[in-house]
Amino acid sequence: MRQHLGDPVRHCFMTRSVARVMGLSLSEEMQAGKLAPQTYASMVTKCRGCALVEACENWLSKQSTLVATPPPGCCNGAVLTELRRHN
């Protein structure tokens, strides 16, 4: 059975939004060679297949300051946490 993937634009925005709330710019991370474009593409694809989209959007709506960790259960949490640790 094939998994339904969500809208690429929506999930690109969500991936970048979670990173931004964590104080990261994924574009800058790629320009600096800290994030491979293929890894970024994989992150968006993982987000597209995530079952926690509504919870993530709710989490994003409540953030008013920078945070150290991604939302609970984030499928890209490990990559984002590692990038943040090296900044």
Side-chain angles (χ1 to χ4, degrees):
M1 183 170 168
R2 242 172 101 178
Q3 179 182 14
H4 171 74
L5 295 177
D7 177 59
V9 174
R10 178 184 187 192
H11 292 277
C12 178
F13 176 78
M14 287 181 66
T15 301
R16 287 181 172 272
S17 295
V18 171
R20 199 170 15 258
V21 168
M22 292 179 66
L24 297 166
S25 164
L26 297 182
S27 295
E28 289 176 11
E29 296 296 315
M30 284 188 280
Q31 288 173 348
K34 297 177 184 177
L35 177 65
Q38 299 89 339
T39 303
Y40 169 67
S42 175
M43 290 171 73
V44 173
T45 300
K46 283 181 185 178
C47 183
R48 291 177 66 203
C50 184
L52 302 174
V53 174
E54 287 181 23
C56 183
E57 288 178 331
N58 186 42
W59 179 87
L60 281 167
S61 74
K62 293 180 177 168
Q63 303 312 308
S64 59
T65 61
L66 292 180
V67 297
T69 58
C74 179
C75 59
N76 291 312
V79 174
L80 293 169
T81 300
E82 187 67 17
L83 286 169
R84 190 170 191 282
R85 198 173 69 118
H86 291 289
N87 277 321

